[in-house]
Amino acid sequence: MQKSGIVDKERVVYLPQDEMPTHWYNILPDLPEPLAPPLDPKTLKPISPEPLFRIFAKELVMQEVSAERFIKIPDEVYDAYVYLPRPTPIVRARRLEKYLATPAQIYYKCEYVNPTGSHKPNSAIAQAYYNKAQGIERVVTETGAGQWGSSLAMASSLFGLKCSVYMVRVSYDQKPGRRTMMQIHGADVVASPSNKTKFGQSLLKSDPNNYGSLGIAISEALEDCLTHENTRYCLGSVLNHVLLHQTIIGLESKKQFESIDVQPDVICGCIGGGSNFAGFAYPFIADKLKKETNTEFIACEPKAVPSTTRGVYTYDFGDAAELTPLLKMYTLGHNYQAPPIYSGGLRYHGKAPSLCLLINKGYIKSVAYSQTEVFEAAGILARTEGMITAPETAHCVRYVIDEALRCKKTGEKKIIAFNNCGHGLLDLQAYDAYLNRKLLDYEPATINVPKLVNQ
Ligand SMILES: Cc1ncc(COP(=O)(O)O)c(C=O)c1O
């Protein structure tokens, strides 16, 4: 029998399966102040949970507003996690440390170790389960990079649900492998904007070459959900229930670090809608909110989609067609046309409200990078650790490398941990563009966010 904690203290930290956490962590009761309420898109008044039952499975809506600090993982979901497999290991990146000649220690949590290759199944499995348990026949969603879509397609096939995915057109063209994965799992996949919805038709009429955005794909998926019986919508990030499903990552990591008597000084992750970062960081932030640690938290985003570094902290819609409730968040405006960077999963105009509150209150720092900088960092990781990350993940690899090099200058022995949230084996076209110096860097000259609500 493998002993709890360490197999190779110098290199890989496992957590035995019988020590996998049995509950998710919900940060809402621990936030420094209550979240601003979501607003009804028509009346702009605070919305009650009931109207959302037509959009999401009921249990997911209840998790959205839950005041419970810990929520039990249903047995069926726990079982599916074990088969993913979970718990995932933590690796110490000793060869990267050596290459950088840094006194810092670098660890990463391996969330890419599952059939679809990212953190997304942690919520996809839970969402498919709750929909199935409620008797829903079909789920519909959007996907940017294809990581979320392929995870929901896989989870739907495991739980016997039909699944339709609106895939942002630029990713549909850039990542045909992801589309094939979803189709193998039995999902119906269309490029968004599409001719399947009224909203998509209206966009294609004015611009047949519209390359899409997550905001547009969300609008199409919502329209599809509202016009089909026994169908519910699933979202891959941003909402509280998604963030809390992802905390299995940080809860496992805490146990793993405790087992080797290590306390990270820096916790770092990339942010698309925020669930990846929150899933890793929130169980550690819980200690900072109780003033028990001084850990630094760093959220990394693209300069092309700088929601938290250049956006406005205000109420905005979650989608382009203005169908969703308004959320208070850092936003670039719901009609922001994110440039076609290869990190499709980070092309969302807004971010999760709890994450934005914690950034606004100074608990989390955010930083932004251009795609050339992040691919350079990903290349270093690949050549030292052997791991080719997803371009999204490479954003925090850039931060980790820069921080480790700062430590080299100051002599600090910081312990830096990041969430290795995706492999890049279906992103090789992007790596090819990087190697052939064809990557373009983008930054918006100005950002105009409409003021929708007087605050
Ligand atoms: C590999 C990878 N990492 C990170 C993200 C961003 O995740 P989140 O929206 O949870 O912040 C995505 C989103 O698709 C992704 O595919």
Side-chain angles (χ1 to χ4, degrees):
M1 255 294 270
Q2 182 183 305
K3 209 177 139 294
S4 167
I6 312 153
V7 168
D8 170 3
K9 185 170 178 171
E10 299 302 306
R11 183 75 178 133
V12 186
V13 188
Y14 292 101
L15 184 70
Q17 189 211 299
D18 58 6
E19 288 186 33
M20 190 169 88
T22 53
H23 290 67
W24 293 302
Y25 169 57
N26 174 22
I27 203 167
L28 294 187
D30 293 336
L31 288 174
E33 64 185 49
L35 281 185
L39 305 181
D40 184 287
K42 294 211 170 71
T43 63
L44 300 186
K45 297 267 180 296
I47 195 168
S48 61
E50 287 73 21
L52 298 175
F53 293 160
R54 176 61 189 87
I55 298 175
F56 299 102
K58 201 169 166 188
E59 203 58 41
L60 297 169
V61 176
M62 298 323 290
Q63 288 179 358
E64 205 47 36
V65 291
S66 172
E68 302 269 313
R69 183 167 287 117
F70 290 100
I71 294 177
K72 187 176 178 313
I73 303 174
D75 291 345
E76 292 83 346
V77 174
Y78 195 92
D79 198 47
Y81 278 179
V82 169
Y83 274 99
L84 259 181
R86 299 210 72 88
T88 56
I90 284 182
V91 167
R92 178 155 175 203
R94 277 192 169 275
R95 290 169 296 197
L96 176 61
E97 290 170 15
K98 194 171 166 203
Y99 171 82
L100 299 172
T102 176
Q105 292 179 24
I106 301 171
Y107 292 88
Y108 59 81
K109 175 78 166 158
C110 299
E111 281 305 300
Y112 59 88
V113 187
N114 66 59
T116 60
S118 78
H119 62 295
K120 296 287 182 185
N122 297 327
S123 186
I125 286 171
Q127 294 192 42
Y129 164 75
Y130 286 118
N131 274 286
K132 184 68 181 181
Q134 192 181 312
I136 300 300
E137 280 174 20
R138 174 175 171 261
V139 288
V140 55
T141 196
E142 76 296 325
T143 195
Q147 295 268 21
W148 166 247
S150 51
S151 301
L152 190 68
M154 175 189 74
S156 297
S157 70
L158 295 180
F159 285 97
L161 289 163
K162 290 183 193 148
C163 177
S164 298
V165 185
Y166 289 85
M167 184 172 190
V168 176
R169 179 173 294 277
V170 63
S171 297
Y172 190 90
D173 296 336
Q174 281 171 352
K175 303 186 183 187
R178 282 275 160 204
R179 181 191 347 137
T180 309
M181 270 180 86
M182 292 183 256
Q183 288 166 336
I184 289 174
H185 287 303
D188 169 38
V189 189
V190 290
S192 166
S194 75
N195 273 315
K196 276 191 120 179
T197 64
K198 290 210 167 102
F199 185 58
Q201 287 160 14
S202 71
L203 294 175
L204 289 175
K205 202 168 160 197
S206 52
D207 176 10
N209 296 319
N210 188 318
Y211 54 71
S213 72
L214 273 168
I216 294 170
I218 292 173
S219 299
E220 290 205 274
L222 275 171
E223 186 183 320
D224 181 325
C225 166
L226 292 170
T227 49
H228 289 88
E229 285 301 304
N230 220 4
T231 295
R232 290 292 180 277
Y233 169 66
C234 292
L235 186 62
S237 193
V238 182
L239 294 178
N240 190 54
H241 65 267
V242 188
L243 272 57
L244 77 85
H245 299 154
Q246 293 293 353
T247 59
I248 185 75
I249 306 170
L251 292 164
E252 282 178 8
S253 302
K254 273 189 96 170
K255 286 187 164 198
Q256 285 162 297
F257 281 121
E258 277 160 22
S259 77
I260 53 167
D261 217 6
V262 161
Q263 166 80 46
D265 297 303
V266 182
I267 297 267
C268 171
C270 65
I271 49 173
S275 76
N276 156 64
F277 176 86
F280 185 43
Y282 279 8
F284 293 91
I285 289 190
D287 296 336
K288 185 155 175 165
L289 290 167
K290 284 187 268 171
K291 303 199 182 346
E292 287 173 4
T293 63
N294 246 336
T295 312
E296 294 169 58
F297 294 93
I298 313 290
C300 306
E301 65 185 11
K303 276 190 179 167
V305 194
S307 315
T308 66
T309 46
R310 292 183 57 197
V312 181
Y313 190 42
T314 187
Y315 270 105
D316 196 6
F317 292 100
D319 72 320
E322 309 187 348
L323 296 173
T324 69
L326 283 88
L327 300 174
K328 188 163 181 195
M329 57 185 173
Y330 281 101
T331 176
L332 299 167
H334 58 283
N335 284 317
Y336 181 68
Q337 264 291 343
I341 53 167
Y342 280 97
S343 298
L346 308 188
R347 290 177 72 246
Y348 188 60
H349 64 276
K351 298 286 170 273
S354 58
L355 174 75
C356 295
L357 177 73
L358 291 166
I359 291 176
N360 188 256
K361 297 279 167 207
Y363 289 92
I364 299 168
K365 189 177 140 195
S366 58
V367 292
Y369 296 109
S370 68
Q371 56 176 357
T372 308
E373 299 175 283
V374 308
F375 274 94
E376 198 175 82
I380 294 172
L381 187 78
R383 289 188 295 277
T384 53
E385 294 295 319
M387 160 73 200
I388 298 178
T389 61
E392 290 84 357
T393 315
H395 285 73
C396 71
V397 176
R398 178 75 265 170
Y399 181 82
V400 168
I401 290 178
D402 290 352
E403 182 65 7
L405 290 174
R406 267 193 292 275
C407 288
K408 184 175 169 178
K409 281 199 186 127
T410 61
E412 281 174 285
K413 293 181 177 167
K414 277 190 177 176
I415 296 170
I416 305 169
F418 72 98
N419 194 15
N420 201 336
C421 55
H423 72 61
L425 298 181
L426 290 168
D427 297 285
L428 296 182
Q429 203 187 331
Y431 278 90
D432 196 51
Y434 164 66
L435 291 174
N436 289 300
R437 299 182 197 283
K438 287 191 184 147
L439 283 186
L440 298 177
D441 287 332
Y442 308 86
E443 269 184 71
T446 52
I447 289 159
N448 299 309
V449 180
K451 191 171 180 191
L452 302 167
V453 176
N454 286 325
Q455 299 168 70

Short mmCIF file of all heavy atoms in Angstrom, two decimals, residues 112 117-120 143-149 175 178 214 236-238 242-243 246 269-279 300 343-348 351-352 355 389-394 419-424 427, ligand 1:
data_model
loop_
_atom_site.label_atom_id
_atom_site.label_comp_id
_atom_site.label_asym_id
_atom_site.label_seq_id
_atom_site.Cartn_x
_atom_site.Cartn_y
_atom_site.Cartn_z
N TYR A 112 -3.90 18.60 -15.92
CA TYR A 112 -4.02 18.18 -17.33
C TYR A 112 -4.11 16.65 -17.44
O TYR A 112 -4.29 16.12 -18.52
CB TYR A 112 -2.82 18.68 -18.15
CG TYR A 112 -1.48 18.19 -17.64
CD1 TYR A 112 -0.96 16.98 -18.07
CD2 TYR A 112 -0.76 18.94 -16.72
CE1 TYR A 112 0.25 16.51 -17.58
CE2 TYR A 112 0.45 18.49 -16.22
CZ TYR A 112 0.95 17.27 -16.64
OH TYR A 112 2.13 16.81 -16.15
N GLY A 117 -7.87 16.65 -20.75
CA GLY A 117 -6.62 17.39 -20.65
C GLY A 117 -6.67 18.77 -20.02
O GLY A 117 -5.79 19.59 -20.29
N SER A 118 -7.68 19.04 -19.17
CA SER A 118 -7.68 20.32 -18.46
C SER A 118 -8.48 20.17 -17.17
O SER A 118 -9.01 19.09 -16.87
CB SER A 118 -8.30 21.43 -19.30
OG SER A 118 -9.71 21.35 -19.28
N HIS A 119 -8.60 21.29 -16.42
CA HIS A 119 -9.38 21.27 -15.17
C HIS A 119 -10.89 21.17 -15.41
O HIS A 119 -11.65 20.92 -14.50
CB HIS A 119 -9.08 22.56 -14.39
CG HIS A 119 -9.50 23.81 -15.12
ND1 HIS A 119 -8.93 24.22 -16.31
CD2 HIS A 119 -10.47 24.72 -14.85
CE1 HIS A 119 -9.53 25.33 -16.72
NE2 HIS A 119 -10.46 25.65 -15.85
N LYS A 120 -11.33 21.40 -16.65
CA LYS A 120 -12.76 21.57 -16.91
C LYS A 120 -13.66 20.39 -16.50
O LYS A 120 -14.80 20.61 -16.10
CB LYS A 120 -12.99 21.91 -18.39
CG LYS A 120 -12.37 23.25 -18.83
CD LYS A 120 -13.13 24.44 -18.29
CE LYS A 120 -12.55 25.77 -18.77
NZ LYS A 120 -13.19 26.94 -18.17
N THR A 143 -18.21 27.02 -26.11
CA THR A 143 -16.81 26.73 -25.78
C THR A 143 -15.90 27.66 -26.55
O THR A 143 -16.19 28.04 -27.69
CB THR A 143 -16.46 25.24 -26.05
OG1 THR A 143 -15.22 24.93 -25.40
CG2 THR A 143 -16.30 24.92 -27.53
N GLY A 144 -14.80 28.06 -25.88
CA GLY A 144 -13.82 28.92 -26.53
C GLY A 144 -12.75 28.04 -27.13
O GLY A 144 -12.79 27.66 -28.30
N ALA A 145 -11.79 27.64 -26.29
CA ALA A 145 -10.68 26.81 -26.77
C ALA A 145 -11.13 25.39 -27.15
O ALA A 145 -10.43 24.68 -27.83
CB ALA A 145 -9.63 26.73 -25.68
N GLY A 146 -12.28 24.99 -26.64
CA GLY A 146 -12.75 23.62 -26.88
C GLY A 146 -12.52 22.72 -25.68
O GLY A 146 -12.97 21.58 -25.65
N GLN A 147 -11.79 23.24 -24.68
CA GLN A 147 -11.51 22.42 -23.48
C GLN A 147 -12.80 22.19 -22.70
O GLN A 147 -13.07 21.08 -22.25
CB GLN A 147 -10.51 23.15 -22.57
CG GLN A 147 -9.13 23.32 -23.18
CD GLN A 147 -8.20 22.17 -22.82
OE1 GLN A 147 -8.64 21.09 -22.47
NE2 GLN A 147 -6.91 22.40 -22.95
N TRP A 148 -13.59 23.25 -22.51
CA TRP A 148 -14.84 23.10 -21.77
C TRP A 148 -15.82 22.24 -22.58
O TRP A 148 -16.43 21.32 -22.05
CB TRP A 148 -15.44 24.47 -21.44
CG TRP A 148 -16.88 24.37 -20.99
CD1 TRP A 148 -17.98 24.82 -21.64
CD2 TRP A 148 -17.36 23.73 -19.79
NE1 TRP A 148 -19.12 24.51 -20.93
CE2 TRP A 148 -18.77 23.84 -19.79
CE3 TRP A 148 -16.75 23.06 -18.72
CZ2 TRP A 148 -19.57 23.32 -18.77
CZ3 TRP A 148 -17.56 22.55 -17.71
CH2 TRP A 148 -18.94 22.67 -17.74
N GLY A 149 -15.94 22.53 -23.87
CA GLY A 149 -16.88 21.77 -24.70
C GLY A 149 -16.55 20.30 -24.71
O GLY A 149 -17.43 19.44 -24.57
N LYS A 175 -8.69 24.91 -34.07
CA LYS A 175 -8.54 23.67 -33.29
C LYS A 175 -9.49 22.56 -33.75
O LYS A 175 -10.38 22.13 -33.01
CB LYS A 175 -8.78 23.96 -31.81
CG LYS A 175 -7.83 25.03 -31.31
CD LYS A 175 -7.91 25.26 -29.85
CE LYS A 175 -6.97 26.41 -29.52
NZ LYS A 175 -6.80 26.67 -28.14
N ARG A 178 -10.11 19.53 -31.35
CA ARG A 178 -11.06 19.67 -30.24
C ARG A 178 -12.48 19.37 -30.71
O ARG A 178 -13.26 18.75 -30.02
CB ARG A 178 -11.01 21.07 -29.65
CG ARG A 178 -9.85 21.30 -28.76
CD ARG A 178 -10.14 20.82 -27.33
NE ARG A 178 -8.88 20.61 -26.63
CZ ARG A 178 -8.70 19.81 -25.59
NH1 ARG A 178 -9.70 19.11 -25.11
NH2 ARG A 178 -7.54 19.68 -25.03
N LEU A 214 -16.70 34.49 -26.92
CA LEU A 214 -17.41 33.68 -25.92
C LEU A 214 -18.76 34.30 -25.60
O LEU A 214 -19.75 33.61 -25.41
CB LEU A 214 -16.56 33.55 -24.65
CG LEU A 214 -15.58 32.38 -24.67
CD1 LEU A 214 -14.58 32.49 -23.53
CD2 LEU A 214 -16.31 31.05 -24.59
N GLY A 236 -19.14 27.06 -18.41
CA GLY A 236 -17.86 26.45 -18.04
C GLY A 236 -17.03 27.25 -17.06
O GLY A 236 -15.95 26.81 -16.66
N SER A 237 -17.49 28.44 -16.66
CA SER A 237 -16.70 29.26 -15.74
C SER A 237 -17.57 30.38 -15.18
O SER A 237 -18.81 30.32 -15.30
CB SER A 237 -15.49 29.84 -16.49
OG SER A 237 -14.56 30.38 -15.59
N VAL A 238 -16.98 31.36 -14.56
CA VAL A 238 -17.58 32.63 -14.10
C VAL A 238 -18.55 32.48 -12.91
O VAL A 238 -18.45 33.22 -11.93
CB VAL A 238 -18.32 33.38 -15.24
CG1 VAL A 238 -18.90 34.71 -14.75
CG2 VAL A 238 -17.40 33.62 -16.43
N VAL A 242 -19.65 26.90 -10.58
CA VAL A 242 -18.51 26.34 -11.33
C VAL A 242 -17.23 26.49 -10.50
O VAL A 242 -16.43 25.55 -10.38
CB VAL A 242 -18.34 27.05 -12.69
CG1 VAL A 242 -17.30 26.33 -13.53
CG2 VAL A 242 -19.67 27.15 -13.44
N LEU A 243 -17.07 27.67 -9.91
CA LEU A 243 -15.87 27.91 -9.11
C LEU A 243 -15.79 26.91 -7.96
O LEU A 243 -14.73 26.36 -7.66
CB LEU A 243 -15.86 29.35 -8.56
CG LEU A 243 -15.25 30.43 -9.46
CD1 LEU A 243 -15.88 30.52 -10.82
CD2 LEU A 243 -15.25 31.78 -8.78
N GLN A 246 -14.63 23.49 -8.81
CA GLN A 246 -13.18 23.42 -9.11
C GLN A 246 -12.32 23.41 -7.84
O GLN A 246 -11.13 23.12 -7.91
CB GLN A 246 -12.77 24.60 -10.00
CG GLN A 246 -13.35 24.57 -11.41
CD GLN A 246 -12.83 23.42 -12.27
OE1 GLN A 246 -11.92 22.69 -11.88
NE2 GLN A 246 -13.42 23.25 -13.44
N GLY A 269 -2.25 31.34 -11.15
CA GLY A 269 -3.03 30.63 -12.16
C GLY A 269 -3.50 31.60 -13.22
O GLY A 269 -3.49 32.82 -13.01
N CYS A 270 -3.90 31.06 -14.38
CA CYS A 270 -4.42 31.95 -15.43
C CYS A 270 -5.93 32.13 -15.23
O CYS A 270 -6.57 31.33 -14.56
CB CYS A 270 -4.12 31.36 -16.80
SG CYS A 270 -4.97 29.82 -17.13
N ILE A 271 -6.45 33.22 -15.81
CA ILE A 271 -7.89 33.48 -15.66
C ILE A 271 -8.56 33.70 -17.02
O ILE A 271 -8.15 34.54 -17.80
CB ILE A 271 -8.19 34.67 -14.71
CG1 ILE A 271 -7.34 35.91 -15.06
CG2 ILE A 271 -7.99 34.28 -13.27
CD1 ILE A 271 -7.73 37.16 -14.27
N GLY A 272 -9.60 32.88 -17.26
CA GLY A 272 -10.46 33.08 -18.44
C GLY A 272 -11.74 33.70 -17.90
O GLY A 272 -11.99 34.89 -18.02
N GLY A 273 -12.54 32.85 -17.24
CA GLY A 273 -13.69 33.36 -16.49
C GLY A 273 -13.36 33.35 -15.00
O GLY A 273 -14.06 33.97 -14.20
N GLY A 274 -12.33 32.59 -14.62
CA GLY A 274 -11.86 32.61 -13.23
C GLY A 274 -11.97 31.29 -12.48
O GLY A 274 -11.47 31.17 -11.37
N SER A 275 -12.60 30.25 -13.08
CA SER A 275 -12.84 29.04 -12.28
C SER A 275 -11.56 28.24 -12.04
O SER A 275 -11.40 27.61 -11.00
CB SER A 275 -13.91 28.17 -12.93
OG SER A 275 -13.41 27.46 -14.04
N ASN A 276 -10.65 28.28 -13.00
CA ASN A 276 -9.40 27.55 -12.84
C ASN A 276 -8.58 28.13 -11.68
O ASN A 276 -8.16 27.42 -10.76
CB ASN A 276 -8.63 27.63 -14.16
CG ASN A 276 -7.16 27.46 -13.99
OD1 ASN A 276 -6.71 26.39 -13.59
ND2 ASN A 276 -6.39 28.51 -14.25
N PHE A 277 -8.42 29.44 -11.70
CA PHE A 277 -7.65 30.11 -10.65
C PHE A 277 -8.34 29.92 -9.30
O PHE A 277 -7.72 29.56 -8.30
CB PHE A 277 -7.53 31.60 -10.98
CG PHE A 277 -6.85 32.38 -9.90
CD1 PHE A 277 -5.47 32.47 -9.85
CD2 PHE A 277 -7.59 33.00 -8.90
CE1 PHE A 277 -4.84 33.17 -8.83
CE2 PHE A 277 -6.97 33.70 -7.89
CZ PHE A 277 -5.59 33.80 -7.85
N ALA A 278 -9.67 30.17 -9.28
CA ALA A 278 -10.42 30.09 -8.02
C ALA A 278 -10.35 28.67 -7.45
O ALA A 278 -10.19 28.48 -6.24
CB ALA A 278 -11.87 30.48 -8.25
N GLY A 279 -10.46 27.68 -8.34
CA GLY A 279 -10.45 26.30 -7.87
C GLY A 279 -9.15 25.95 -7.16
O GLY A 279 -9.14 25.25 -6.15
N CYS A 300 -3.34 35.59 -13.87
CA CYS A 300 -2.66 36.01 -15.11
C CYS A 300 -3.64 36.00 -16.29
O CYS A 300 -4.36 35.01 -16.49
CB CYS A 300 -1.51 35.05 -15.41
SG CYS A 300 -0.38 34.88 -14.02
N SER A 343 -5.05 31.66 -27.14
CA SER A 343 -5.60 31.21 -25.86
C SER A 343 -7.11 31.45 -25.86
O SER A 343 -7.61 32.36 -25.21
CB SER A 343 -4.96 31.99 -24.71
OG SER A 343 -3.59 31.73 -24.69
N GLY A 344 -7.81 30.61 -26.62
CA GLY A 344 -9.26 30.78 -26.78
C GLY A 344 -10.00 30.78 -25.46
O GLY A 344 -11.05 31.42 -25.32
N GLY A 345 -9.47 30.08 -24.47
CA GLY A 345 -10.15 29.99 -23.17
C GLY A 345 -10.01 31.25 -22.33
O GLY A 345 -10.62 31.35 -21.26
N LEU A 346 -9.19 32.20 -22.78
CA LEU A 346 -9.00 33.44 -22.00
C LEU A 346 -9.58 34.64 -22.74
O LEU A 346 -9.21 35.78 -22.45
CB LEU A 346 -7.51 33.68 -21.71
CG LEU A 346 -6.70 32.54 -21.09
CD1 LEU A 346 -5.30 33.03 -20.68
CD2 LEU A 346 -7.39 31.94 -19.86
N ARG A 347 -10.49 34.39 -23.68
CA ARG A 347 -11.00 35.50 -24.50
C ARG A 347 -12.35 36.01 -24.02
O ARG A 347 -13.17 36.45 -24.80
CB ARG A 347 -11.08 35.06 -25.98
CG ARG A 347 -9.72 34.87 -26.63
CD ARG A 347 -9.81 34.35 -28.06
NE ARG A 347 -10.30 35.37 -28.97
CZ ARG A 347 -11.46 35.29 -29.62
NH1 ARG A 347 -12.27 34.27 -29.42
NH2 ARG A 347 -11.83 36.25 -30.42
N TYR A 348 -12.59 35.99 -22.71
CA TYR A 348 -13.89 36.40 -22.18
C TYR A 348 -13.81 37.82 -21.62
O TYR A 348 -12.85 38.15 -20.92
CB TYR A 348 -14.31 35.40 -21.08
CG TYR A 348 -15.72 35.64 -20.60
CD1 TYR A 348 -16.80 35.55 -21.48
CD2 TYR A 348 -15.98 35.95 -19.27
CE1 TYR A 348 -18.10 35.77 -21.04
CE2 TYR A 348 -17.27 36.17 -18.83
CZ TYR A 348 -18.33 36.09 -19.72
OH TYR A 348 -19.61 36.32 -19.30
N LYS A 351 -15.13 38.57 -15.71
CA LYS A 351 -14.53 37.55 -14.84
C LYS A 351 -15.51 37.25 -13.70
O LYS A 351 -16.43 38.03 -13.45
CB LYS A 351 -13.19 38.05 -14.24
CG LYS A 351 -12.11 38.35 -15.27
CD LYS A 351 -11.47 37.12 -15.87
CE LYS A 351 -10.58 37.43 -17.06
NZ LYS A 351 -11.25 37.49 -18.35
N ALA A 352 -15.26 36.18 -12.96
CA ALA A 352 -16.16 35.77 -11.88
C ALA A 352 -16.29 36.88 -10.82
O ALA A 352 -15.29 37.46 -10.39
CB ALA A 352 -15.61 34.51 -11.22
N LEU A 355 -14.06 36.62 -7.65
CA LEU A 355 -12.65 36.88 -7.99
C LEU A 355 -12.43 38.39 -8.14
O LEU A 355 -11.44 38.95 -7.64
CB LEU A 355 -12.32 36.16 -9.30
CG LEU A 355 -10.95 36.43 -9.90
CD1 LEU A 355 -9.87 35.70 -9.12
CD2 LEU A 355 -10.89 35.99 -11.35
N THR A 389 2.39 22.82 -22.30
CA THR A 389 1.13 23.28 -21.69
C THR A 389 0.22 23.89 -22.74
O THR A 389 0.65 24.29 -23.82
CB THR A 389 1.36 24.38 -20.64
OG1 THR A 389 1.95 25.49 -21.29
CG2 THR A 389 2.20 23.92 -19.49
N ALA A 390 -1.05 24.02 -22.34
CA ALA A 390 -1.99 24.79 -23.15
C ALA A 390 -1.54 26.25 -23.15
O ALA A 390 -0.94 26.71 -22.17
CB ALA A 390 -3.39 24.67 -22.54
N PRO A 391 -1.83 27.00 -24.23
CA PRO A 391 -1.43 28.42 -24.25
C PRO A 391 -2.03 29.21 -23.08
O PRO A 391 -1.40 30.13 -22.57
CB PRO A 391 -2.00 28.94 -25.58
CG PRO A 391 -2.30 27.73 -26.40
CD PRO A 391 -2.48 26.58 -25.48
N GLU A 392 -3.23 28.82 -22.63
CA GLU A 392 -3.85 29.50 -21.49
C GLU A 392 -2.95 29.37 -20.26
O GLU A 392 -2.59 30.36 -19.60
CB GLU A 392 -5.24 28.89 -21.18
CG GLU A 392 -6.31 29.17 -22.21
CD GLU A 392 -6.30 28.21 -23.39
OE1 GLU A 392 -5.40 27.33 -23.46
OE2 GLU A 392 -7.17 28.34 -24.27
N THR A 393 -2.56 28.13 -19.98
CA THR A 393 -1.72 27.85 -18.81
C THR A 393 -0.40 28.59 -18.89
O THR A 393 0.15 29.03 -17.87
CB THR A 393 -1.43 26.32 -18.75
OG1 THR A 393 -2.62 25.62 -19.00
CG2 THR A 393 -0.83 25.92 -17.43
N ALA A 394 0.10 28.75 -20.11
CA ALA A 394 1.41 29.38 -20.31
C ALA A 394 1.43 30.81 -19.75
O ALA A 394 2.51 31.34 -19.44
CB ALA A 394 1.76 29.38 -21.79
N ASN A 419 -1.13 26.30 -11.03
CA ASN A 419 -2.03 25.25 -11.49
C ASN A 419 -1.74 24.97 -12.96
O ASN A 419 -1.98 25.81 -13.82
CB ASN A 419 -3.49 25.69 -11.30
CG ASN A 419 -4.45 24.53 -11.45
OD1 ASN A 419 -4.02 23.36 -11.41
ND2 ASN A 419 -5.72 24.81 -11.64
N ASN A 420 -1.23 23.77 -13.20
CA ASN A 420 -0.92 23.36 -14.58
C ASN A 420 -2.21 22.80 -15.17
O ASN A 420 -2.46 21.60 -15.17
CB ASN A 420 0.21 22.32 -14.57
CG ASN A 420 0.89 22.25 -15.90
OD1 ASN A 420 0.31 22.60 -16.92
ND2 ASN A 420 2.12 21.77 -15.91
N CYS A 421 -3.04 23.74 -15.68
CA CYS A 421 -4.46 23.43 -15.91
C CYS A 421 -4.77 22.89 -17.30
O CYS A 421 -5.94 22.66 -17.61
CB CYS A 421 -5.28 24.68 -15.64
SG CYS A 421 -4.72 26.08 -16.63
N GLY A 422 -3.75 22.67 -18.14
CA GLY A 422 -4.10 22.09 -19.44
C GLY A 422 -2.87 21.70 -20.23
O GLY A 422 -1.85 22.40 -20.21
N HIS A 423 -2.95 20.57 -20.95
CA HIS A 423 -1.86 20.26 -21.87
C HIS A 423 -2.15 20.92 -23.22
O HIS A 423 -3.28 21.28 -23.52
CB HIS A 423 -1.63 18.74 -22.01
CG HIS A 423 -2.67 18.00 -22.77
ND1 HIS A 423 -2.95 18.27 -24.10
CD2 HIS A 423 -3.50 17.00 -22.41
CE1 HIS A 423 -3.90 17.46 -24.52
NE2 HIS A 423 -4.27 16.69 -23.50
N GLY A 424 -1.09 21.07 -24.02
CA GLY A 424 -1.24 21.80 -25.28
C GLY A 424 -1.13 20.91 -26.50
O GLY A 424 -0.78 21.37 -27.58
N ASP A 427 -2.89 22.03 -29.38
CA ASP A 427 -2.60 23.44 -29.68
C ASP A 427 -1.29 23.57 -30.46
O ASP A 427 -0.65 24.63 -30.44
CB ASP A 427 -2.47 24.23 -28.36
CG ASP A 427 -3.77 24.24 -27.59
OD1 ASP A 427 -4.69 24.96 -27.98
OD2 ASP A 427 -3.88 23.49 -26.60
C1 LIG B 1 -6.41 25.04 -20.53
C2 LIG B 1 -7.26 26.13 -19.98
N1 LIG B 1 -6.81 26.80 -18.91
C3 LIG B 1 -7.51 27.82 -18.38
C4 LIG B 1 -8.73 28.20 -18.91
C5 LIG B 1 -9.48 29.31 -18.27
O1 LIG B 1 -10.35 28.75 -17.37
P1 LIG B 1 -11.34 29.58 -16.49
O2 LIG B 1 -12.44 30.07 -17.34
O3 LIG B 1 -11.78 28.56 -15.53
O4 LIG B 1 -10.61 30.72 -15.88
C6 LIG B 1 -9.25 27.50 -20.01
C7 LIG B 1 -10.55 27.84 -20.54
O5 LIG B 1 -11.05 27.29 -21.48
C8 LIG B 1 -8.49 26.45 -20.56
O6 LIG B 1 -8.93 25.76 -21.61
#
